[in-house]
Amino acid sequence: MKDILRKIKEFFKKNFKLIIGIAVLLVVICLFFATQCKTTSLESADLQKWTESSVESKMSTVQILTENIENTELIVQCVDKMSTFNDSAEFAVRDAVKLCNMGIQLRENN
């Protein structure tokens, strides 16, 4: 029993820097993934997050999702209107922007 404990103690003494390095690496990886999961981008959020956001972030989100600069304000107003409906909090911002953009394009083509 003492022989096993001595071997374990020697192992930790020899590989102390390696063990500390692996532990630090694991902590850094965990922190990286934790910050990635808590992004504040509206592209993957729901409409409840949309209502809490600033106008600038709404405009940039619409520009990112539609790649269309000319109807940005109209799409933001449309999604704002959609966010006031009952049970709209679970609706994805990406889907709402696509729906509003498609409606605007249909109106322009007719």
Side-chain angles (χ1 to χ4, degrees), residues 3-44:
D3 190 40
I4 295 173
L5 290 175
R6 186 178 48 81
K7 286 182 181 181
I8 293 173
K9 197 174 190 180
E10 286 177 17
F11 174 79
F12 279 114
K13 281 183 180 180
K14 287 181 183 178
N15 298 315
F16 183 71
K17 290 181 182 178
L18 178 66
I19 293 169
I20 295 297
I22 291 172
V24 168
L25 184 64
L26 288 174
V27 169
V28 168
I29 290 171
C30 290
L31 287 175
F32 174 75
F33 284 113
T35 56
Q36 292 299 318
C37 291
K38 295 182 181 181
T39 59
T40 58
S41 66
L42 287 175
E43 292 93 12
S44 60

Short mmCIF file of all heavy atoms in Angstrom, two decimals, residues 3-44:
data_model
loop_
_atom_site.label_atom_id
_atom_site.label_comp_id
_atom_site.label_asym_id
_atom_site.label_seq_id
_atom_site.Cartn_x
_atom_site.Cartn_y
_atom_site.Cartn_z
N ASP A 3 3.85 1.41 -1.03
CA ASP A 3 4.57 1.43 -2.29
C ASP A 3 3.74 2.13 -3.38
O ASP A 3 4.27 2.91 -4.18
CB ASP A 3 4.92 0.00 -2.70
CG ASP A 3 5.87 -0.04 -3.87
OD1 ASP A 3 6.80 0.79 -3.89
OD2 ASP A 3 5.67 -0.90 -4.76
N ILE A 4 2.45 1.86 -3.38
CA ILE A 4 1.55 2.48 -4.38
C ILE A 4 1.45 3.98 -4.13
O ILE A 4 1.50 4.79 -5.07
CB ILE A 4 0.16 1.81 -4.34
CG1 ILE A 4 0.26 0.35 -4.79
CG2 ILE A 4 -0.83 2.56 -5.21
CD1 ILE A 4 -1.01 -0.44 -4.63
N LEU A 5 1.30 4.38 -2.88
CA LEU A 5 1.22 5.80 -2.54
C LEU A 5 2.51 6.52 -2.91
O LEU A 5 2.49 7.66 -3.38
CB LEU A 5 0.91 5.98 -1.06
CG LEU A 5 -0.50 5.57 -0.62
CD1 LEU A 5 -0.63 5.70 0.90
CD2 LEU A 5 -1.53 6.43 -1.31
N ARG A 6 3.64 5.87 -2.69
CA ARG A 6 4.93 6.47 -3.04
C ARG A 6 5.05 6.65 -4.56
O ARG A 6 5.51 7.69 -5.04
CB ARG A 6 6.07 5.59 -2.52
CG ARG A 6 7.45 6.19 -2.72
CD ARG A 6 8.57 5.33 -2.15
NE ARG A 6 8.51 3.93 -2.52
CZ ARG A 6 8.95 3.42 -3.68
NH1 ARG A 6 9.46 4.21 -4.59
NH2 ARG A 6 8.86 2.13 -3.93
N LYS A 7 4.58 5.66 -5.33
CA LYS A 7 4.63 5.76 -6.78
C LYS A 7 3.72 6.89 -7.30
O LYS A 7 4.09 7.62 -8.21
CB LYS A 7 4.23 4.44 -7.43
CG LYS A 7 5.29 3.38 -7.31
CD LYS A 7 4.87 2.11 -8.01
CE LYS A 7 5.96 1.05 -7.85
NZ LYS A 7 5.59 -0.19 -8.54
N ILE A 8 2.56 7.01 -6.69
CA ILE A 8 1.64 8.10 -7.07
C ILE A 8 2.25 9.44 -6.74
O ILE A 8 2.19 10.39 -7.54
CB ILE A 8 0.26 7.91 -6.38
CG1 ILE A 8 -0.43 6.67 -6.92
CG2 ILE A 8 -0.61 9.15 -6.56
CD1 ILE A 8 -1.71 6.31 -6.20
N LYS A 9 2.87 9.56 -5.59
CA LYS A 9 3.52 10.80 -5.17
C LYS A 9 4.65 11.17 -6.11
O LYS A 9 4.79 12.33 -6.52
CB LYS A 9 4.03 10.64 -3.74
CG LYS A 9 4.35 11.90 -3.04
CD LYS A 9 4.70 11.60 -1.59
CE LYS A 9 4.80 12.84 -0.77
NZ LYS A 9 5.15 12.58 0.62
N GLU A 10 5.43 10.19 -6.52
CA GLU A 10 6.52 10.43 -7.46
C GLU A 10 5.99 10.85 -8.83
O GLU A 10 6.56 11.72 -9.50
CB GLU A 10 7.39 9.17 -7.59
CG GLU A 10 8.27 8.89 -6.41
CD GLU A 10 9.04 7.60 -6.56
OE1 GLU A 10 9.14 7.07 -7.70
OE2 GLU A 10 9.55 7.10 -5.54
N PHE A 11 4.90 10.22 -9.25
CA PHE A 11 4.29 10.57 -10.53
C PHE A 11 3.86 12.03 -10.54
O PHE A 11 4.11 12.76 -11.50
CB PHE A 11 3.10 9.65 -10.82
CG PHE A 11 2.33 10.03 -12.04
CD1 PHE A 11 2.80 9.69 -13.31
CD2 PHE A 11 1.13 10.73 -11.94
CE1 PHE A 11 2.09 10.03 -14.44
CE2 PHE A 11 0.42 11.09 -13.08
CZ PHE A 11 0.90 10.73 -14.33
N PHE A 12 3.19 12.47 -9.48
CA PHE A 12 2.74 13.87 -9.41
C PHE A 12 3.92 14.84 -9.33
O PHE A 12 3.87 15.93 -9.89
CB PHE A 12 1.79 14.08 -8.23
CG PHE A 12 0.38 13.64 -8.52
CD1 PHE A 12 -0.18 12.56 -7.85
CD2 PHE A 12 -0.38 14.28 -9.48
CE1 PHE A 12 -1.47 12.15 -8.11
CE2 PHE A 12 -1.67 13.88 -9.75
CZ PHE A 12 -2.22 12.80 -9.07
N LYS A 13 4.99 14.45 -8.65
CA LYS A 13 6.17 15.31 -8.58
C LYS A 13 6.81 15.48 -9.94
O LYS A 13 7.22 16.57 -10.33
CB LYS A 13 7.19 14.75 -7.58
CG LYS A 13 6.86 15.02 -6.14
CD LYS A 13 7.97 14.50 -5.24
CE LYS A 13 7.65 14.76 -3.78
NZ LYS A 13 8.72 14.26 -2.90
N LYS A 14 6.90 14.39 -10.71
CA LYS A 14 7.53 14.44 -12.02
C LYS A 14 6.67 15.19 -13.04
O LYS A 14 7.19 15.88 -13.91
CB LYS A 14 7.79 13.02 -12.53
CG LYS A 14 8.91 12.32 -11.84
CD LYS A 14 9.10 10.93 -12.44
CE LYS A 14 10.20 10.16 -11.72
NZ LYS A 14 10.35 8.80 -12.27
N ASN A 15 5.38 15.04 -12.95
CA ASN A 15 4.47 15.58 -13.97
C ASN A 15 3.62 16.74 -13.47
O ASN A 15 2.54 16.99 -14.02
CB ASN A 15 3.57 14.46 -14.49
CG ASN A 15 4.36 13.35 -15.14
OD1 ASN A 15 5.25 13.62 -15.93
ND2 ASN A 15 4.05 12.12 -14.80
N PHE A 16 4.08 17.44 -12.46
CA PHE A 16 3.30 18.53 -11.88
C PHE A 16 3.01 19.63 -12.91
O PHE A 16 1.86 20.08 -13.04
CB PHE A 16 4.03 19.11 -10.67
CG PHE A 16 3.28 20.20 -9.97
CD1 PHE A 16 2.15 19.90 -9.23
CD2 PHE A 16 3.70 21.52 -10.07
CE1 PHE A 16 1.45 20.90 -8.59
CE2 PHE A 16 3.00 22.53 -9.43
CZ PHE A 16 1.87 22.22 -8.69
N LYS A 17 4.01 20.04 -13.66
CA LYS A 17 3.81 21.10 -14.65
C LYS A 17 2.86 20.66 -15.75
O LYS A 17 2.02 21.43 -16.21
CB LYS A 17 5.15 21.52 -15.26
CG LYS A 17 6.04 22.27 -14.32
CD LYS A 17 7.34 22.66 -14.99
CE LYS A 17 8.26 23.37 -14.01
NZ LYS A 17 9.55 23.71 -14.64
N LEU A 18 2.96 19.41 -16.15
CA LEU A 18 2.06 18.89 -17.17
C LEU A 18 0.62 18.87 -16.67
O LEU A 18 -0.31 19.27 -17.40
CB LEU A 18 2.50 17.48 -17.59
CG LEU A 18 1.62 16.78 -18.64
CD1 LEU A 18 1.71 17.52 -19.96
CD2 LEU A 18 2.04 15.33 -18.78
N ILE A 19 0.41 18.44 -15.47
CA ILE A 19 -0.94 18.39 -14.89
C ILE A 19 -1.53 19.79 -14.78
O ILE A 19 -2.69 20.01 -15.13
CB ILE A 19 -0.91 17.67 -13.53
CG1 ILE A 19 -0.54 16.19 -13.72
CG2 ILE A 19 -2.24 17.79 -12.81
CD1 ILE A 19 -0.22 15.45 -12.44
N ILE A 20 -0.73 20.75 -14.30
CA ILE A 20 -1.20 22.13 -14.20
C ILE A 20 -1.51 22.68 -15.59
O ILE A 20 -2.52 23.35 -15.80
CB ILE A 20 -0.15 23.01 -13.47
CG1 ILE A 20 0.01 22.56 -12.03
CG2 ILE A 20 -0.53 24.49 -13.54
CD1 ILE A 20 -1.24 22.70 -11.19
N GLY A 21 -0.68 22.40 -16.58
CA GLY A 21 -0.91 22.87 -17.95
C GLY A 21 -2.20 22.33 -18.53
O GLY A 21 -2.96 23.04 -19.16
N ILE A 22 -2.46 21.05 -18.32
CA ILE A 22 -3.70 20.44 -18.81
C ILE A 22 -4.90 21.04 -18.11
O ILE A 22 -5.93 21.32 -18.74
CB ILE A 22 -3.64 18.91 -18.64
CG1 ILE A 22 -2.60 18.32 -19.59
CG2 ILE A 22 -5.00 18.28 -18.89
CD1 ILE A 22 -2.32 16.85 -19.38
N ALA A 23 -4.81 21.28 -16.82
CA ALA A 23 -5.91 21.88 -16.07
C ALA A 23 -6.22 23.30 -16.58
O ALA A 23 -7.38 23.66 -16.77
CB ALA A 23 -5.60 21.90 -14.58
N VAL A 24 -5.17 24.09 -16.81
CA VAL A 24 -5.36 25.45 -17.32
C VAL A 24 -5.99 25.40 -18.72
O VAL A 24 -6.90 26.18 -19.03
CB VAL A 24 -4.02 26.22 -17.33
CG1 VAL A 24 -4.14 27.52 -18.11
CG2 VAL A 24 -3.57 26.49 -15.91
N LEU A 25 -5.53 24.49 -19.55
CA LEU A 25 -6.08 24.34 -20.89
C LEU A 25 -7.56 23.98 -20.85
O LEU A 25 -8.37 24.53 -21.60
CB LEU A 25 -5.29 23.29 -21.66
CG LEU A 25 -5.69 23.08 -23.12
CD1 LEU A 25 -5.45 24.35 -23.92
CD2 LEU A 25 -4.94 21.92 -23.71
N LEU A 26 -7.93 23.08 -19.96
CA LEU A 26 -9.34 22.71 -19.83
C LEU A 26 -10.20 23.89 -19.36
O LEU A 26 -11.32 24.09 -19.84
CB LEU A 26 -9.49 21.53 -18.86
CG LEU A 26 -9.01 20.18 -19.38
CD1 LEU A 26 -9.08 19.13 -18.28
CD2 LEU A 26 -9.83 19.76 -20.58
N VAL A 27 -9.68 24.69 -18.43
CA VAL A 27 -10.42 25.86 -17.95
C VAL A 27 -10.61 26.87 -19.08
O VAL A 27 -11.70 27.42 -19.27
CB VAL A 27 -9.70 26.50 -16.75
CG1 VAL A 27 -10.29 27.86 -16.42
CG2 VAL A 27 -9.78 25.58 -15.54
N VAL A 28 -9.57 27.10 -19.88
CA VAL A 28 -9.66 28.04 -20.99
C VAL A 28 -10.68 27.55 -22.03
O VAL A 28 -11.50 28.33 -22.53
CB VAL A 28 -8.27 28.26 -21.64
CG1 VAL A 28 -8.37 28.99 -22.96
CG2 VAL A 28 -7.37 29.01 -20.68
N ILE A 29 -10.66 26.28 -22.34
CA ILE A 29 -11.63 25.73 -23.30
C ILE A 29 -13.05 25.87 -22.77
O ILE A 29 -13.96 26.26 -23.51
CB ILE A 29 -11.28 24.26 -23.62
CG1 ILE A 29 -10.00 24.20 -24.44
CG2 ILE A 29 -12.42 23.58 -24.37
CD1 ILE A 29 -9.45 22.81 -24.64
N CYS A 30 -13.26 25.58 -21.51
CA CYS A 30 -14.60 25.72 -20.91
C CYS A 30 -15.07 27.17 -20.95
O CYS A 30 -16.24 27.44 -21.26
CB CYS A 30 -14.61 25.20 -19.48
SG CYS A 30 -14.43 23.41 -19.37
N LEU A 31 -14.19 28.11 -20.64
CA LEU A 31 -14.56 29.52 -20.67
C LEU A 31 -14.88 29.97 -22.10
O LEU A 31 -15.82 30.75 -22.32
CB LEU A 31 -13.45 30.38 -20.09
CG LEU A 31 -13.27 30.32 -18.58
CD1 LEU A 31 -12.04 31.13 -18.16
CD2 LEU A 31 -14.51 30.82 -17.88
N PHE A 32 -14.13 29.48 -23.07
CA PHE A 32 -14.38 29.84 -24.46
C PHE A 32 -15.77 29.39 -24.89
O PHE A 32 -16.53 30.16 -25.47
CB PHE A 32 -13.32 29.20 -25.37
CG PHE A 32 -13.58 29.39 -26.82
CD1 PHE A 32 -13.35 30.61 -27.42
CD2 PHE A 32 -14.08 28.35 -27.59
CE1 PHE A 32 -13.60 30.80 -28.77
CE2 PHE A 32 -14.33 28.52 -28.93
CZ PHE A 32 -14.09 29.75 -29.52
N PHE A 33 -16.11 28.15 -24.61
CA PHE A 33 -17.43 27.65 -25.00
C PHE A 33 -18.55 28.32 -24.21
O PHE A 33 -19.64 28.52 -24.73
CB PHE A 33 -17.50 26.14 -24.88
CG PHE A 33 -16.79 25.43 -26.00
CD1 PHE A 33 -15.65 24.69 -25.76
CD2 PHE A 33 -17.26 25.52 -27.30
CE1 PHE A 33 -14.99 24.06 -26.79
CE2 PHE A 33 -16.61 24.89 -28.34
CZ PHE A 33 -15.47 24.14 -28.08
N ALA A 34 -18.29 28.67 -22.97
CA ALA A 34 -19.32 29.35 -22.17
C ALA A 34 -19.61 30.73 -22.73
O ALA A 34 -20.76 31.16 -22.79
CB ALA A 34 -18.87 29.45 -20.72
N THR A 35 -18.59 31.44 -23.18
CA THR A 35 -18.83 32.77 -23.75
C THR A 35 -19.47 32.68 -25.12
O THR A 35 -20.24 33.55 -25.51
CB THR A 35 -17.53 33.58 -23.85
OG1 THR A 35 -16.58 32.85 -24.62
CG2 THR A 35 -16.96 33.89 -22.48
N GLN A 36 -19.19 31.64 -25.87
CA GLN A 36 -19.79 31.47 -27.19
C GLN A 36 -21.27 31.14 -27.07
O GLN A 36 -22.07 31.53 -27.93
CB GLN A 36 -19.08 30.36 -27.98
CG GLN A 36 -17.68 30.71 -28.37
CD GLN A 36 -17.63 31.93 -29.27
OE1 GLN A 36 -18.43 32.08 -30.17
NE2 GLN A 36 -16.70 32.81 -29.00
N CYS A 37 -21.65 30.42 -26.06
CA CYS A 37 -23.06 30.05 -25.87
C CYS A 37 -23.89 31.24 -25.42
O CYS A 37 -25.10 31.26 -25.62
CB CYS A 37 -23.18 28.92 -24.86
SG CYS A 37 -22.54 27.37 -25.47
N LYS A 38 -23.28 32.22 -24.81
CA LYS A 38 -24.00 33.38 -24.29
C LYS A 38 -23.85 34.59 -25.20
O LYS A 38 -23.70 35.71 -24.74
CB LYS A 38 -23.49 33.73 -22.89
CG LYS A 38 -23.78 32.66 -21.87
CD LYS A 38 -23.29 33.08 -20.51
CE LYS A 38 -23.56 32.00 -19.49
NZ LYS A 38 -23.12 32.38 -18.16
N THR A 39 -23.94 34.39 -26.49
CA THR A 39 -23.82 35.50 -27.42
C THR A 39 -25.06 36.39 -27.32
O THR A 39 -26.15 35.93 -27.02
CB THR A 39 -23.66 35.02 -28.87
OG1 THR A 39 -24.79 34.23 -29.21
CG2 THR A 39 -22.39 34.24 -29.03
N THR A 40 -24.87 37.65 -27.62
CA THR A 40 -25.98 38.59 -27.53
C THR A 40 -26.50 38.95 -28.92
O THR A 40 -27.24 39.91 -29.06
CB THR A 40 -25.53 39.87 -26.81
OG1 THR A 40 -24.42 40.43 -27.52
CG2 THR A 40 -25.15 39.58 -25.38
N SER A 41 -26.11 38.20 -29.92
CA SER A 41 -26.56 38.52 -31.27
C SER A 41 -28.04 38.19 -31.41
O SER A 41 -28.54 37.22 -30.85
CB SER A 41 -25.75 37.75 -32.31
OG SER A 41 -26.01 36.37 -32.18
N LEU A 42 -28.71 39.00 -32.16
CA LEU A 42 -30.14 38.81 -32.35
C LEU A 42 -30.45 37.81 -33.45
O LEU A 42 -31.60 37.39 -33.57
CB LEU A 42 -30.79 40.16 -32.70
CG LEU A 42 -30.94 41.16 -31.57
CD1 LEU A 42 -31.49 42.47 -32.10
CD2 LEU A 42 -31.84 40.62 -30.50
N GLU A 43 -29.47 37.44 -34.26
CA GLU A 43 -29.75 36.54 -35.37
C GLU A 43 -30.33 35.21 -34.92
O GLU A 43 -31.17 34.64 -35.59
CB GLU A 43 -28.48 36.28 -36.20
CG GLU A 43 -27.98 37.47 -36.95
CD GLU A 43 -26.95 38.25 -36.15
OE1 GLU A 43 -26.47 37.74 -35.12
OE2 GLU A 43 -26.64 39.38 -36.54
N SER A 44 -29.90 34.72 -33.79
CA SER A 44 -30.38 33.43 -33.31
C SER A 44 -31.29 33.57 -32.09
O SER A 44 -31.60 32.57 -31.44
CB SER A 44 -29.19 32.54 -32.96
OG SER A 44 -28.41 33.17 -31.97
#
